Amino acid sequence: MAKIGVFICHCGENIGAKVDCTRLAAAMGEHPGVAVSVEYKYFCSDPGQESVKRAIRDNNLTGVVVAACSPRMHEATFRKACAEAGLNPYLCEIANIREQCSWVHTDKDMATEKAMDITRSMVEKVKRNNKLQPIEVPVTRRALVIGGGIAGIQAALDIANAGQDVVLVEREPSLGGHMAQLSETFPTLDCSQCIMTPRMVEAAQHPKIRLLTYAEIESVDGYIGNFKVRVRMKSRYVDLDRCTGCGDCITKCPAKKISSEFDCSLGKRTAIYTPFAQSVPNIPVIDKANCIYFKNGKCKICAKTCQCDAINFEMQDEFIELEIGAIVVATGFQVQNNTMYGEYGYGKYPDVINGLQFERLASASGPTAGKILRPSDGKEPENVVFIQCAGSRDPSKGVRYCSKICCMYTAKHAMLYAHKVHDGKTNIFYMDIRAAGKGYDEFSRRAIEDDEASYVRGRVSKVWQENGKLMVRGVDTLLGRPVEIAADMVVLATAMISQPDAKEFAKTIGIGYDEYGFYNEAHLKLRPVESSTAGVFLAGACQSPKDIPDSVAQASATASKVLALFSKEKLEREPVVATNNEATCAGCWGCVLACPYNAIEQKDILDRSGKIIKRVASVNPGLCQGCGTCVTFCRSNSLDLAGFTEKQIFAEVMGL
Amino acid sequence: MSIEEQYRTRAKELLAGGAVKMVIGYGKGTTGERRRPIFITSPDEVERLVLDEACITNLSGYLVSEGLLSDEKRVAVFLRPEGVRAVNILAAESQLDSDQLVIFGFDVVGNEIKALKGIHVEEFADVIESLKESAPGVAKELLLEKIESMSPQERFSYWQGEFAKCIKCYACRQACPMCYCRRCIVDSNQPQWVNTSSHSLGNFEWNIVRAFHLSGRCVECGNCDRACPVNIPLRLINHRMAEEVLGTFDHFAGTSKTQEPVLASFKKDDSETFIL
Ligand SMILES: Cc1cc2nc3c(=O)[nH]c(=O)nc-3n(C[C@H](O)[C@H](O)[C@H](O)COP(=O)(O)OP(=O)(O)OC[C@H]3O[C@@H](n4cnc5c(N)ncnc54)[C@H](O)[C@@H]3O)c2cc1C
Ligand code: SF4
Ligand code: SF4
Ligand code: SF4
Ligand code: SF4
C-alpha cells in the first residue's frame, strides 16, 4: 500500500499569496494513498526539512511529494533529506506550484484548483516510482582547456598548480589571444605584454601542462569524467623538437609582404613566421598559402638557412586522441568588421581604424614601435576622433548588446594618445559612458580631467575625406547642434562578437549558444561558469564580452569547478537512463541516430548455436544522459526512461 | 512481346536457374478487375503471373515477412516506383538487404503498362528523383482541395466524422509496408496510450499516431486507403504529412537505401538554435 507524504510549501508569500495552501493540504489529505498532507512556510529551511524527515520516519512513508518551487531549485535538497531519513531519494518528487502556478496566475481560487491538479498528478506518479541507485562512473583526472588566451592560460595554470594534468589547445601558432595584442591595459595602464608573457612562459614550461599549439579540436565524444577528444595537430612544417627558435629562417624568407594578422594588417610578416616576437612556443610555422615553395615548387631558402634541419616540407597533419575528464572552453572573441558602416569609411580610408588596430599602433612591439602614426602616410596625427559604440548597441547594423569594454578602452586610447602626442587633440563621440568596475570611473575621469579628452555625446553620421583631412560630422545631443571636426585619424570602438566558427564549434563540443554565438551558461546567476553539458565549463569572452579581470576571475572559477570534479575518484551519476525492450524492438536504428550522445549501440541476439536471430538496440548506461530523445522517437515504444517511465508519465497525465 | 510476357519469361529463367527462390507478383483476383499477390517458387507456375493496369498493390511489405530473406537467398518482386521507394526505406531502416532482391519494375500510366529498367533499387534513382521533382506540382484530387479550403474547425469536424467510422480493425496497418513493428504501439498496454475501443478519442489517437509514424516514410502507395473497410480517405492524411516533410526538410521518402530518417536526424545547418 502506498503511503505518500505531501508537503506543501508557502514559499513565504510566493506561493501562499496565490494558492490556498490549507485547502490544498486538506484536499491532498483525502486523496487515496496519501498518508500525510501538511503545509509549512518554508520547507527548504532547516526545520522544514527536519519535519519532512520526521514525517517519513514516523509514518513509514513510501513516497514524498513536495509541492513547492521548480525541481531545478530544490529537487536535490529534498531528495537528500529523504535519503537521510532512509527513503530512496528517487521516491521523492517535486510538484511545481510556484513557477507553473502561483507566479503566473492572479485568481486565487483557480490557482488553488490548478495547484491541486499539479500535486495530485505528482502523487500518482510517485506511487509508481521505483527505487533507483546512482550510477558510478570513473573520472579521468585530466582537463582539456581549449583556447590559449588569458582566460585559457589562467584556467590551465590554476588546475595545473593544484597538481592535476592539463592539455592546453590553441589553434594559432602561439599562446596569447587578444591580450598579447594590447598595448597597455585599463584601469592601471600596465603594459599588456609585460604581464602576459610571464604567464605564457609559465604555462608552456609547467610540468603538468601539455601545450598543443597550432592544433584544433576535431571531435568530442563521451561525457563528464570520460570524454574522448581528437585533436588535429596542423602541420607547421617546422619540427618542434629540432627548432631552437633562432629565427634565421624568418630573416631570410623572401616572401616578406604578407599582411600580419597579429598587427591587424598594419604590419607585414614573412611566410615562415611567428605571430610576434615573444611567441610561445617561439617556433615558427610556414603559412602554406603564401610560401613561395608551396606555390611555385622553388625556394626552400628557410630550409637551407636552418642549422638544425628543422624544416620539413613533407610534414602532414597529425591526430592525437586524448582521454579527458573535464573541458574548459576559453575560445574568446573577435572584433566585428566595421565595413558594414559604409558612412564611416572603414576599409575605404586607411586612417579610419578600429580599436584593436589602435592597440597595435600604441604597442611598443607594434608596427610603429609604439609611435602613434597614421597608416596612410606615417605622419603623427594632430587630431583624433574616437567613435564609441561602432557596432555595439545598434540592432540595425551591429549588435544589440553592449560590448562592455569599449568605453574603457576608448578612454585608455585617449590617454595613451595624450601621453605620446602631447599637443594632440582628442574628441570622443559616445552614447553613454559605462564605467562600472573597480577603478573604472576614476580611470575615465582621468582621461577627461588630466588628459583633456573632449567627450561629445552623440552619434556620428558621416566621415569623408577632404583636403587630406577626415571630416567627421555628427551631432552633439547635449548642446543640440551639429558638429563637424577635421581629424587626421578616426578610431572606431568596434563591437566584440563571437568567434566566426563559434556556433559550429559549439556543436562539435555539444554546448548551447545564444543568438549571437556566445556560449550559454547553465544558469546566468547561479551557475555562470558551467555550460549546460555536465563537465564542460566556460571561461572568458567566449561566454560574453568581458575585460581581462572578469575573464581571469571566470577562468579561476572554472578551475575550481574542475578541481572539485577531480577531487573524487568516481562520479555519481543520476540513474535516469533509458532501457530498451529487446523483445519488441524492431531494429530500425532510428534511436541510434536520434541519440545526441551516441549512447545507443546495435546488439546481436544469438541463438544457442551462435546464429543471429535478431538485431536490437542497446543503451549504454554510462553514456546515456537521460534526455529521452530516443523514447519519443521509438515507434514501437520499446524504449523507456528510468525515473520517467511510460507508466509514471501516464499516471501523471491521468492524475490531472 | 508484351511486358507481361517478357516478365514471365524472365521469371521462368530466374526460377529455373535458381537465381531466385521466389517471385512475388500479381495473379488473378476474385473478380475480373481485381489482382491478388501470388508467390511463385516453381518455373512451371509463371503463367499465373498477370501484369496489367489493375496491378496497383504495393507488394514490398511481403518482403519483410518473418524468415523470408534470412537464408540470404534472393527473391524477385514486382514493384511500381512507390514500391521501390518503400524498399529503400525498409533497407534504410535495416529491415531487409536490398541486394537480395531482383526487381521487376513497372508503372501504370493511364491504362498503359510501362516497364522500368533495372533490377536493383539503385537503378531507379532517376525515376524517384523525377517523382520528387514533380511531387509539389501534382494535381490535387478534388477532395483534398475541398478539405484544404476548409476552416480549421470545419476540417476538424470533417475528420471527426471520418474517424468516427473507424472500427480499429488495423487493416491499414497490416497493409502498410512501413508498419513492420512486431509490437505496434496500440498493442502496448502497459500503459495503454492508445485507446483500443472505437470511440472518438481512441480513433483520433490511433489515426494521428499512425500519421506521425508514417510522416517522412509513407510512399503514398495507397495500400492503407484501399484496405480500409469503411473507406476513410487515409491517403489524404499521409499525403498532407508528406507535403509538410518535403516543404520543411526537403525530404522525399525513399530516395535511397541510405536515406536517414527525417525525424531522427538533423543537419548542422538546421536553423533551430536549440539543437546542440
Ligand atoms: C581593442 C581592445 C582593447 C582592450 N583593452 C583591454 C584593456 O585595456 N583591459 C582589459 O581588461 N581588457 C581589454 N580588452 C579585452 C580583452 O582583450 C579580453 O578581455 C581578453 O582578451 C579575453 O580573453 P579570452 O582568453 O577570453 O579571449 P581571447 O583573448 O580572444 O583568446 C582566445 C584564444 O582562443 C583561441 N581559440 C579560439 N577558438 C579556438 C578553437 N576552436 N580551438 C583552439 N583555440 C581557439 C584563440 O586563437 C585565442 O588565442 C580589450 C579588447 C579589445 C578588443
Ligand atoms: S527506435 Fe525503437 S524499434 Fe527502432 S531500434 Fe530503437 S528501440 Fe528498436
Ligand atoms: S535517453 Fe535515449 S536518446 Fe537520450 S541519451 Fe539516453 S539513450 Fe540517448
Ligand atoms: S501509409 Fe498507406 S500509403 Fe503510406 S506507405 Fe503505408 S500503406 Fe502506403
Ligand atoms: S483500416 Fe480503416 S477502419 Fe481499420 S483501423 Fe485503419 S482506419 Fe480504422
Side-chain angles (χ1 to χ4, degrees):
Chain A
M1 243 300 274
K3 278 198 230 156
I4 311 294
V6 179
F7 302 91
I8 295 149
C9 184
H10 294 209
C11 193
E13 287 284 284
N14 274 306
I15 294 170
K18 282 285 167 303
V19 170
D20 183 342
C21 294
T22 312
R23 226 179 101 203
L24 177 58
M28 289 306 117
E30 303 281 298
H31 191 77
V34 173
V36 184
S37 178
V38 286
E39 55 177 315
Y40 188 66
K41 210 157 179 61
Y42 288 108
F43 267 116
C44 59
S45 68
D46 222 25
Q49 292 189 47
E50 277 311 315
S51 73
V52 175
K53 289 188 214 168
R54 212 175 316 116
I56 295 173
R57 290 197 199 96
D58 293 351
N59 302 283
N60 281 323
L61 295 182
T62 59
V64 163
V65 172
V66 183
C69 48
S70 119
R72 266 187 88 141
M73 210 55 211
H74 278 312
E75 187 179 75
T77 314
F78 290 111
R79 287 196 164 167
K80 188 161 157 275
C82 288
E84 281 162 10
L87 188 71
N88 183 293
Y90 296 94
L91 300 177
C92 166
E93 294 283 354
I94 309 290
N96 182 350
I97 57 168
R98 195 179 74 173
E99 284 84 341
Q100 291 171 5
C101 186
S102 67
W103 275 2
V104 290
H105 295 300
T106 45
D107 183 302
K108 192 163 180 174
D109 274 343
M110 283 165 77
T112 306
E113 294 289 329
K114 180 168 169 185
M116 286 180 189
D117 282 346
I118 295 173
T119 313
R120 194 182 327 107
S121 151
M122 281 333 267
V123 170
E124 284 306 308
K125 179 183 182 196
V126 162
K127 286 185 187 167
R128 286 152 186 89
N129 276 22
N130 298 316
K131 292 181 188 166
L132 301 176
Q133 302 306 330
I135 300 174
E136 284 199 337
V137 286
V139 179
T140 309
R141 289 180 173 146
R142 184 180 303 109
L144 169 70
V145 178
I146 310 173
I150 185 60
I153 293 177
Q154 183 70 37
L157 284 174
D158 284 352
I159 299 167
N161 284 337
Q164 302 293 351
D165 287 322
V166 180
V167 182
L168 175 57
V169 174
E170 166 59 54
R171 68 173 166 198
E172 296 299 329
S174 168
L175 287 179
H178 284 96
M179 192 175 157
Q181 289 174 285
L182 305 183
S183 51
E184 291 168 22
T185 51
F186 64 75
T188 45
L189 287 191
D190 32 15
C191 146
S192 189
Q193 285 275 359
C194 316
I195 53 175
M196 182 70 174
T197 316
R199 289 293 172 96
M200 289 159 45
V201 173
E202 191 186 343
Q205 293 179 347
H206 203 292
K208 285 283 182 188
I209 298 180
R210 179 173 178 198
L211 176 61
L212 305 176
T213 53
Y214 216 42
E216 271 177 31
I217 307 295
E218 281 281 305
S219 63
V220 175
D221 290 313
Y223 53 97
I224 181 169
N226 299 276
F227 294 104
K228 292 210 170 27
V229 181
R230 192 172 152 87
V231 182
R232 173 196 292 270
M233 299 297 296
K234 296 185 278 185
S235 45
R236 284 182 113 93
Y237 304 106
V238 177
D239 191 322
L240 277 169
D241 297 326
R242 290 179 176 225
C243 171
T244 57
C246 68
D248 287 350
C249 52
I250 301 176
T251 337
K252 291 278 158 57
C253 175
K256 292 194 192 303
K257 294 259 164 79
I258 304 155
S259 155
S260 155
E261 297 84 358
F262 187 79
D263 282 335
C264 307
S265 54
L266 294 175
K268 301 274 181 254
R269 63 165 173 82
T270 43
I272 186 164
Y273 74 107
T274 54
F276 52 105
Q278 302 84 344
S279 289
V280 172
N282 187 24
I283 311 276
V285 298
I286 295 182
D287 162 13
K288 199 172 172 185
N290 286 301
C291 164
I292 300 175
Y293 171 73
F294 278 114
K295 282 201 288 195
N296 305 336
K298 271 199 228 90
C299 180
K300 289 202 176 178
I301 292 180
C302 50
K304 288 169 208 146
T305 318
C306 180
Q307 310 257 330
C308 314
D309 208 10
I311 293 175
N312 173 5
F313 289 96
E314 308 305 316
M315 204 180 262
Q316 298 292 326
D317 289 4
E318 277 172 32
F319 294 91
I320 300 180
E321 310 278 343
L322 299 168
E323 309 244 315
I324 295 292
I327 300 177
V328 176
V329 182
T331 49
F333 68 102
Q334 61 169 331
V335 288
Q336 196 173 30
N337 182 339
N338 273 117
T339 41
M340 80 264 184
Y341 288 110
E343 65 270 33
Y344 292 170
Y346 182 82
K348 187 160 130 206
Y349 309 130
D351 295 333
V352 178
I353 62 173
N354 69 28
L356 201 53
Q357 289 175 309
F358 190 88
E359 295 285 340
R360 294 312 300 145
L361 289 182
S363 166
S365 65
T368 54
K371 292 208 181 66
I372 309 290
L373 303 175
R374 54 185 212 171
S376 62
D377 53 7
K379 284 205 189 116
E380 193 166 78
E382 286 161 18
N383 192 327
V384 181
V385 167
F386 293 89
I387 303 177
Q388 289 196 182
C389 296
S392 306
R393 304 171 68 197
D394 178 1
S396 64
K397 284 192 176 167
V399 291
R400 190 180 294 276
Y401 57 82
C402 163
S403 290
K404 206 175 167 185
I405 54 159
C406 322
C407 289
M408 294 306 296
Y409 77 60
T410 303
K412 172 181 78 174
H413 291 171
M415 285 159 102
L416 295 178
Y417 176 63
H419 297 172
K420 290 177 191 243
V421 181
H422 295 294
D423 41 12
K425 180 98 193 67
T426 312
N427 283 288
I428 303 176
F429 284 90
Y430 74 105
M431 298 222 280
D432 301 286
I433 301 178
R434 298 187 166 175
K438 190 168 176 176
Y440 283 16
D441 200 52
E442 298 89 315
F443 183 81
S444 62
R445 295 304 312 170
R446 255 168 68 199
I448 300 171
E449 285 153 20
D450 300 352
D451 293 315
E452 292 172 14
S454 141
Y455 275 80
V456 185
R457 189 174 199 281
R459 284 198 76 92
V460 169
S461 58
K462 195 169 165 61
V463 177
W464 72 99
Q465 227 167 8
E466 205 174 285
N467 302 329
K469 289 278 185 187
L470 287 167
M471 302 302 296
V472 182
R473 180 185 296 151
V475 273
D476 184 330
T477 50
L478 293 181
L479 296 177
R481 59 163 200 221
V483 275
E484 220 169 86
I485 299 169
D488 298 309
M489 189 158 90
V490 172
V491 184
L492 305 178
T494 311
M496 260 174 133
I497 59 169
S498 61
Q499 291 279 12
D501 61 340
K503 292 183 181 177
E504 200 57 28
F505 192 64
K507 289 169 185 164
T508 305
I509 37 185
I511 56 175
Y513 50 84
D514 66 15
E515 61 185 300
Y516 304 108
F518 287 114
Y519 297 150
N520 279 344
E521 56 294 311
H523 189 290
L524 193 56
K525 284 169 274 183
L526 300 179
R527 294 168 69 197
V529 305
E530 289 154 82
S531 76
S532 44
T533 304
V536 181
F537 306 99
L538 308 173
C542 63
Q543 183 243 356
S544 70
K546 270 189 198 74
D547 54 21
I548 298 165
D550 283 359
S551 300
V552 170
Q554 200 185 7
S556 293
T558 57
S560 90
K561 292 281 172 195
V562 170
L563 293 169
L565 177 63
F566 288 0
S567 67
K568 299 174 211 122
E569 234 161 67
K570 288 211 157 109
L571 206 68
E572 278 201 353
R573 282 255 332 273
E574 287 238 321
V576 176
V577 293
T579 48
N580 186 20
N581 181 344
E582 294 177 352
T584 58
C585 169
C588 71
W589 311 139
C591 55
V592 176
L593 268 173
C595 174
Y597 300 96
N598 294 332
I600 310 184
E601 296 145 20
Q602 303 184 2
K603 174 177 161 187
D604 293 342
I605 307 234
L606 309 173
D607 67 7
R608 275 187 217 167
S609 65
K611 218 180 108 213
I612 298 176
I613 319 176
K614 166 174 187 193
R615 289 217 149 118
V616 293
S618 164
V619 181
N620 178 337
L623 294 176
C624 172
Q625 299 294 306
C627 68
T629 308
C630 58
V631 178
T632 54
F633 177 80
C634 179
R635 286 182 290 268
S636 69
N637 240 27
S638 299
L639 288 150
D640 214 357
L641 191 62
F644 297 88
T645 59
E646 303 253 330
K647 278 189 203 168
Q648 287 170 295
I649 306 278
F650 192 75
E652 222 180 306
V653 175
M654 298 317 272
L656 278 178
Chain B
M1 209 174 9
S2 73
I3 299 163
E4 185 182 70
E5 282 165 55
Q6 286 171 31
Y7 280 7
R8 278 182 186 161
T9 315
R10 212 168 100 203
K12 192 168 197 150
E13 285 165 15
L14 288 171
L15 285 166
V20 303
K21 67 168 180 179
M22 179 189 283
V23 175
I24 305 180
Y26 303 91
K28 284 208 171 63
T30 40
T31 60
E33 67 279 11
R34 283 179 176 231
R35 301 293 169 256
R36 65 152 60 134
I38 55 172
F39 306 86
I40 293 180
T41 49
S42 141
D44 311 334
E45 291 176 287
V46 296
E47 297 310 316
R48 287 172 55 208
L49 285 169
V50 175
L51 188 59
D52 59 18
E53 73 281 359
C55 298
I56 42 178
T57 302
N58 178 357
L59 301 179
S60 61
Y62 295 106
L63 297 168
V64 291
S65 311
E66 187 134 13
L68 177 67
L69 296 172
S70 57
D71 57 4
E72 288 167 27
K73 293 205 178 112
R74 310 226 289 171
V75 169
V77 59
F78 280 63
L79 295 176
R80 290 196 301 155
E82 294 74 40
V84 182
R85 288 169 63 197
V87 166
N88 272 332
I89 298 175
L90 293 171
E93 294 178 357
S94 297
Q95 302 304 308
L96 53 76
D97 174 0
S98 63
D99 291 342
Q100 267 176 273
L101 306 182
V102 175
I103 296 173
F104 284 67
F106 71 99
D107 204 355
V108 186
V109 186
N111 282 337
E112 289 283 303
I113 289 286
K114 212 178 90 189
L116 295 178
K117 280 218 183 67
I119 51 173
H120 295 117
V121 283
E122 293 84 350
E123 294 166 78
F124 297 84
D126 292 344
V127 178
I128 297 172
E129 195 50 41
S130 66
L131 280 177
K132 179 183 174 184
E133 296 304 313
S134 59
V138 280
K140 284 186 178 159
E141 67 173 284
L142 278 168
L143 183 54
L144 187 62
E145 280 186 3
K146 197 178 119 198
I147 296 172
E148 285 186 350
S149 65
M150 291 177 182
S151 70
Q153 287 80 3
E154 287 168 342
R155 211 176 305 144
F156 187 77
S157 35
Y158 171 81
W159 284 113
Q160 208 165 19
E162 288 298 329
F163 291 156
K165 301 191 282 186
C166 175
I167 52 169
K168 291 271 180 57
C169 65
Y170 305 133
C172 47
R173 174 186 84 186
Q174 295 318 108
C176 175
M178 295 308 136
C179 284
Y180 53 69
C181 286
R182 280 152 217 255
R183 185 199 61 183
C184 173
I185 181 163
V186 282
D187 303 327
S188 145
N189 56 8
Q190 291 285 335
Q192 183 87 55
W193 282 112
V194 181
N195 244 297
T196 45
S197 50
S198 289
H199 53 53
S200 64
L201 175 65
N203 288 357
F204 254 92
E205 284 173 339
W206 160 238
N207 281 286
I208 284 168
V209 162
R210 214 180 93 81
F212 265 104
H213 285 189
L214 268 310
S215 53
R217 303 170 71 236
C218 168
V219 296
E220 302 190 55
C221 63
N223 275 14
C224 53
D225 193 277
R226 287 185 296 271
C228 181
V230 294
N231 293 327
I232 300 174
L234 296 170
R235 63 187 179 284
L236 302 184
I237 304 174
N238 295 327
H239 176 75
R240 188 76 193 86
M241 293 305 275
E243 266 186 348
E244 207 60 48
V245 169
L246 183 66
T248 317
F249 303 109
D250 189 33
H251 183 100
F252 188 68
T255 47
S256 87
K257 64 176 186 181
T258 52
Q259 186 182 37
E260 291 191 341
V262 69
L263 295 186
S265 54
F266 71 94
K267 301 190 191 97
K268 279 200 175 176
D269 52 7
D270 280 347
S271 60
E272 288 84 348
T273 46
F274 61 85
I275 291 181
L276 294 186

